[in-house]
Amino acid sequence: MRASQFFISTLKEAPSDAEIVSHQLMLRAGLIRRLAGGIYSWLPMGLRVLRKVENIVREEMNRAGAIELLMPAVQPAELWQESGRWEQYGPELLRFKDRHQRDFVIGPTHEEVITDIARREIKSYRQLPRHFYQIQTKFRDEIRPRFGVMRGREFLMKDGYSFHTSFADLQREYASMHATYTRIFSRLGLQFRAVAADTGSIGGSGSHEFHVLADSGEDAIAYCPAADSDYAANVELAEALAPAATRAAPELMLANVHTPGKTRCEDVAALLDLPVQRMVKTIAVVRNELEVGAPGWFCLILLRGDHDLNEIKTQKLLGDFRFASDEEIKRAIGCLPGYIGPVDLRFAHMIAVYADRAVINMSDFVCGANAEGYHLTGVNFGRDVPEPYQVDDFRNVVAGDPSPDGKGLLEICRGIEVGHIFQLRTKYAAALKCTFLNESGQPQTMEMGCYGIGVSRIVGAAIEQGNDERGIIFPAALAPFEVVIVPMGYHKSEAVRAAADRLLGDLAAAGIDAILDDRDERPGSMFADWDLIGVPHRVVVGERGLKEGRLEYKGRRDAEAQMLAAAEVPAFLQGRLCD
């Protein structure tokens, strides 16, 4: 490939609305251009990167025995109504009517469509198992698209769906996909972790997310670094174990302390000169499934002062809930948030009190006094507060918590979700009556798995993981070109031109994806462009080096360049690309 025959469109500055590094660099490097909010055109340079991701995903899915198909982006509403997700999915589902006033959606995912195919085409256990996948454009109408391709409305995704006669066979395929995804992200050259995760709106009985590790990641991942541990989970799912120590006997008497203007645990702790771990924060919520004002509708959840509520765990324990409004708190407790607590509740028979595991072992703790400007010290369960209605895991884990596998202490890192696999079980198959005839000739509901990879999101995640002040640092497997040849004076020196052309041919013959920058640009401008674009290997052809039979090589991550014998460059690059 020659640069003069390609399209290169770099920018010195990123648009002001580009918030994160990947968005800024993808625009500056000429990988994408914005068309509308959350919708981007992939320019030729970016499309080469996207196709490289796509090809690796396709190769590994085919290797695992999955069969590629292509389903429509436009889906009839009837399928979504049949599955129950027409009402459940929410405003991210882009709905529209055709000229006949029939309802359709632009597919954010394809569980309904693939299940419809399976129920029409698969009749017997002899046709199972089957695993279908596609690489196709999706659309989710994000309320606030941001971060470029990381949270766009239109995106490219690989979604796969497997069908089985039994849960045991689904588990076998699930393990196969876990291994397949591990190979995919390893081949892409990314640092990643597979973590246990919540199934979310997709549903099912179990799932794992695959995260590219990056400090800018939206998701927090808890993992155990011990050599004999492979524990890792999204913080939203990671279990916080109960403290090993038992509750100490009370030593202090209950006291009412004036704490004017102090509504945060940290501020109260500072005022009282106590560690924040001695505080108990009280969070008021209401359960949506109960009638307003019914017993247990208004709930208090007790957390240690330095811990945060995990909303996903709480929803699993209490059902659908929301945080109580200031007015609802004032009506039930008699004061505003910041001063509420579980002692002497005036409507105690109507209020359900729950406690996190870390709280139930506390003694002589501090909490709100249910009066503005006051907190209680020396509070103890049993003596001052009835034992909570339920004690469970309501909080996010923190670094230093014991690992659930018992092999060490947890650490926290940030990650960008780029893949997710689910054991759907029969959620969609049952709703859409997707059955087969088993060996006894009886109809049986199929078991399903679902396996997604954000193909376009991987590009942004890779850049978040690999960049510096000069631009993108792509792994070789993702880079638009593996090698760039930069000739010094291509249009002025016949020797340079001949050597550069010869090297391009030699690299092509060696199977190396190279581009020759034959533009009439200053060397500094060419170097800056290719560093920005992120090509991992650069070879400079100059007259001075040619006189000595040498070429200059510099890796994108290297601090200094090195001189190589011209004849050895193809073999040298092959070795570097295999590292």
Side-chain angles (χ1 to χ4, degrees):
M1 177 67 71
R2 295 175 183 272
S4 60
Q5 299 169 342
F6 197 61
F7 183 76
I8 300 170
S9 181
T10 57
L11 303 173
K12 291 189 181 299
E13 301 291 338
S16 59
D17 62 345
E19 302 172 73
I20 60 173
V21 169
S22 61
H23 191 192
Q24 295 165 358
L25 291 178
M26 290 183 78
L27 290 167
R28 287 191 56 213
L31 305 188
I32 58 172
R33 288 292 181 263
R34 182 182 185 273
L35 179 63
I39 301 174
Y40 293 86
S41 298
W42 287 80
L43 299 187
M45 193 71 74
L47 185 61
R48 287 184 67 89
V49 180
L50 196 65
R51 290 290 182 253
K52 289 191 173 186
V53 177
E54 186 179 327
N55 290 341
I56 288 175
V57 170
R58 179 175 283 113
E59 287 171 9
E60 290 299 336
M61 291 300 295
N62 292 345
R63 174 184 171 186
I67 305 167
E68 187 171 9
L69 47 60
L70 184 63
M71 293 176 276
V74 175
Q75 305 176 20
E78 289 84 358
L79 282 178
W80 286 75
Q81 291 162 351
E82 196 174 350
S83 72
R85 289 207 294 178
W86 178 258
E87 296 80 13
Q88 296 169 3
Y89 205 90
E92 286 187 4
L93 184 63
L94 183 62
R95 309 158 201 250
F96 68 96
K97 293 181 183 292
D98 68 5
R99 66 175 66 194
H100 303 293
Q101 297 303 299
R102 292 175 298 208
D103 288 313
F104 287 85
V105 305
I106 302 293
T109 183
H110 277 70
E111 283 82 10
E112 283 80 2
V113 178
I114 195 67
T115 306
D116 182 61
I117 290 173
R119 71 181 175 180
R120 293 173 185 269
E121 304 294 331
I122 298 175
K123 304 299 181 185
S124 167
Y125 73 94
R126 297 180 187 277
Q127 296 171 274
L128 295 171
R130 281 288 182 267
H131 187 149
F132 303 104
Y133 79 95
Q134 65 173 349
I135 299 175
Q136 192 237 36
T137 298
K138 311 287 188 187
F139 192 93
R140 293 178 187 167
D141 200 7
E142 294 274 359
I143 188 171
R144 192 167 72 89
R146 59 195 191 279
F147 306 154
V149 301
M150 297 287 287
R151 192 172 287 281
R153 293 193 292 167
E154 183 181 275
F155 53 95
L156 189 66
M157 180 179 178
K158 188 285 296 182
D159 50 323
Y161 308 91
S162 62
F163 296 85
H164 308 270
T165 60
S166 67
F167 180 44
D169 194 56
L170 166 59
Q171 290 177 305
R172 174 201 55 76
E173 184 68 5
Y174 186 86
S176 172
M177 281 299 103
H178 192 289
T180 297
Y181 276 36
T182 299
R183 288 196 301 271
I184 287 170
F185 295 116
S186 296
R187 283 187 60 186
L188 289 170
L190 300 171
Q191 297 177 41
F192 70 96
R193 275 190 177 272
V195 303
D198 184 68
T199 56
S201 63
I202 298 295
S205 63
S207 73
H208 282 80
E209 294 171 348
F210 289 77
H211 287 260
V212 169
L213 303 183
D215 292 339
S216 59
E218 289 186 285
D219 293 295
I221 299 167
Y223 69 99
C224 180
D228 61 340
S229 174
D230 60 0
Y231 179 82
N234 195 303
V235 164
E236 67 187 14
L237 189 69
E239 182 183 8
L241 300 180
T246 57
R247 185 194 302 168
E251 295 183 359
L252 303 177
M253 296 302 297
L254 186 68
N256 200 2
V257 179
H258 193 208
T259 55
K262 307 300 182 185
T263 58
R264 298 172 61 249
C265 285
E266 294 83 357
D267 296 335
V268 176
L271 178 68
L272 301 178
D273 195 24
L274 292 172
V276 72
Q277 291 84 350
R278 289 279 300 278
M279 307 293 124
V280 168
K281 64 175 75 170
T282 306
I283 299 172
V285 303
V286 295
R287 299 176 65 185
N288 292 328
E289 60 192 32
L290 299 180
E291 290 187 16
V292 175
W297 170 76
F298 189 91
C299 308
L300 298 180
I301 303 172
L302 309 181
L303 294 179
R304 204 172 76 185
D306 59 331
H307 289 159
D308 293 321
L309 184 72
N310 184 306
E311 295 183 34
I312 289 176
K313 292 179 183 178
T314 301
Q315 183 161 353
K316 289 181 178 180
L317 292 168
L318 302 187
D320 189 31
F321 78 96
R322 63 173 174 81
F323 294 101
S325 67
D326 288 1
E327 184 57 35
E328 287 166 337
I329 293 171
K330 192 168 185 179
R331 193 161 53 242
I333 306 295
C335 70
L336 291 175
Y339 299 103
I340 62 177
V343 180
D344 292 334
L345 296 170
R346 62 179 182 174
F347 299 116
H349 64 290
M350 302 290 288
I351 299 172
V353 178
Y354 301 86
D356 180 69
R357 292 168 175 171
V359 169
I360 199 60
N361 283 359
M362 294 175 65
S363 59
D364 294 329
F365 58 85
V366 179
C367 66
N370 298 326
E372 188 171 347
Y374 288 89
H375 281 77
L376 298 173
T377 62
V379 184
N380 287 273
F381 289 108
R383 187 190 72 183
D384 310 308
V385 184
E387 297 292 342
Y389 176 78
Q390 181 179 341
V391 177
D392 217 309
D393 178 16
F394 285 92
R395 70 175 176 93
N396 288 330
V397 296
V398 295
D401 281 342
S403 176
D405 65 2
K407 296 181 179 178
L409 301 181
L410 293 177
E411 293 186 9
I412 308 293
C413 64
R414 307 298 299 182
I416 301 167
E417 183 190 341
V418 290
H420 206 158
I421 59 177
F422 301 85
Q423 296 175 18
L424 293 179
R425 300 296 309 270
T426 59
K427 175 179 177 178
Y428 297 94
L432 275 72
K433 299 180 176 58
C434 181
T435 63
F436 66 98
L437 294 180
N438 62 23
E439 294 185 50
S440 302
Q442 299 300 312
Q444 183 176 324
T445 302
M446 296 184 201
E447 295 273 355
M448 284 181 63
C450 173
Y451 319 94
I453 287 180
V455 176
S456 50
R457 200 165 205 247
I458 285 173
V459 180
I463 295 170
E464 288 294 324
Q465 188 175 87
N467 65 83
D468 62 13
E469 69 281 356
R470 299 196 305 277
I472 300 168
I473 305 177
F474 272 126
L478 272 75
F481 299 95
E482 294 172 318
V483 178
V484 59
I485 302 168
V486 182
M488 301 291 96
Y490 185 84
H491 297 279
K492 297 177 181 178
S493 168
E494 187 172 334
V496 168
R497 184 165 59 253
D501 290 347
R502 184 167 56 252
L503 179 59
L504 180 64
D506 290 344
L507 295 183
I512 296 172
D513 186 14
I515 186 168
L516 168 60
D517 194 343
D518 57 348
R519 299 176 295 167
D520 192 11
E521 297 279 353
R522 293 180 293 105
S525 178
M526 290 191 287
F527 291 162
D529 274 351
W530 296 112
D531 279 351
L532 174 61
I533 291 166
V535 174
H537 304 282
R538 185 180 77 200
V539 179
V540 176
V541 181
E543 282 191 328
R544 183 182 302 175
L546 287 175
K547 290 177 181 178
E548 301 174 357
R550 298 198 298 172
L551 304 178
E552 179 187 287
Y553 165 80
K554 187 174 185 296
R556 179 63 180 80
R557 295 179 182 273
D558 296 345
E560 301 292 338
Q562 58 180 303
M563 300 303 293
L564 302 172
E568 297 174 1
V569 168
F572 174 84
L573 289 170
Q574 280 184 314
R576 291 297 299 265
L577 289 167
C578 291
D579 288 346

